[in-house]
Amino acid sequence: MTTSEPKRSLSDGRFLVACGCGLVAAGLLWLVFTIADQPDTAAGALVGGVTVIALAVAVRWWARRRGPSADGGLGRTLLGTADERDKTILTASLAWVGLAAFLANGIALAALALGADGATVIGAVQAVLIAVLVGVFVLLSRRL
Amino acid sequence: MRNEIRRLREEAGLSQAALAEALSVSRQTVNSLENGRYDPSLPLAFAVARYFRTTIEEIFHDDV
């Protein structure tokens, strides 16, 4: 039964592996767009990916400073000590991010078709998705 | 879903934080449970019932 299990933090090693995977993914995106002769888009993807990882590192550092008993679902989730309500909130938030991604993808394609800059569009989509994730997480944390 | 968690907790002289610690959940989860904003999973409902030495039916009540 999960509720009787002791809380276990997400280890630094696993967090570093996750960050490493993120950097590799951002690097692969950069490589793909560079090969496709889209240097602006490649730069946008790289900057966006690195920004997301940097944010994750910063928030984890902030959560760790507050300790494992951090009085917030976001901190517990980032420290890997989320309980079932936190996980419910995270799951619902990610579902909203999926919906937002679906909509943002369509809008981004339309913007590109109208001549918008690729790097700008990718950066905007990433910013919107991060904002949706944080906003919905905070909103659900207050209401649930 | 209505429940008797607040009454049982207060009768036991426990704070929300103490009950949360005993159930390995956050204080916010206990608060949400007491206010009926969050319905627990079956494992958590069993854990609450076991902690107060009673049954799920004695703690949780269907609103219908």
Side-chain angles (χ1 to χ4, degrees):
Chain A
M1 192 176 292
T2 57
T3 52
S4 61
E5 291 173 353
K7 291 176 181 175
R8 186 166 63 88
S9 298
L10 183 64
S11 70
D12 286 339
R14 291 170 68 188
F15 183 72
L16 284 175
V17 168
C19 288
C21 290
L23 286 173
V24 169
L28 284 174
L29 272 177
W30 174 82
L31 188 63
V32 166
F33 284 122
T34 301
I35 291 172
D37 200 22
Q38 297 281 341
D40 290 342
T41 309
L46 187 63
V47 170
V50 171
T51 301
V52 168
I53 293 165
L55 280 173
V57 171
V59 176
R60 181 177 167 88
W61 171 80
W62 165 79
R64 173 162 284 179
R65 276 192 64 191
R66 297 185 65 187
S69 61
D71 203 30
L74 189 60
R76 288 191 299 271
T77 300
L78 287 166
L79 279 174
T81 57
D83 66 4
E84 65 170 56
R85 176 175 163 274
D86 297 325
K87 290 173 183 170
T88 299
I89 291 170
L90 179 62
T91 302
S93 302
L94 290 173
W96 277 100
V97 169
L99 177 63
F102 185 73
L103 296 173
N105 186 46
I107 294 170
L109 284 174
L112 288 173
L114 291 172
D117 178 56
T120 305
V121 170
I122 288 179
V125 168
Q126 288 174 337
V128 165
L129 295 184
I130 291 170
V132 168
L133 177 61
V134 174
V136 174
F137 194 99
V138 170
L139 184 68
L140 290 178
S141 296
R142 292 173 184 273
R143 301 192 67 172
L144 196 64
Chain B
M1 185 179 289
R2 290 181 300 111
N3 65 71
E4 305 295 326
I5 295 176
R6 184 187 299 275
R7 179 180 62 77
L8 291 167
R9 177 180 62 78
E10 289 176 349
E11 285 176 1
L14 289 169
S15 65
Q16 287 186 342
L19 179 58
E21 179 75 22
L23 297 173
S24 294
V25 296
S26 67
R27 185 191 58 76
Q28 288 96 329
T29 297
V30 172
N31 187 51
S32 292
L33 287 170
E34 290 185 353
N35 290 316
R37 292 197 306 267
Y38 176 66
D39 292 333
S41 67
L42 200 50
L44 180 55
F46 270 113
V48 172
R50 192 177 298 122
Y51 183 81
F52 289 115
R53 299 179 187 281
T54 182
T55 61
I56 287 178
E57 290 86 350
E58 293 292 326
I59 297 178
F60 297 97
H61 310 291
D62 199 349
D63 285 330
V64 181

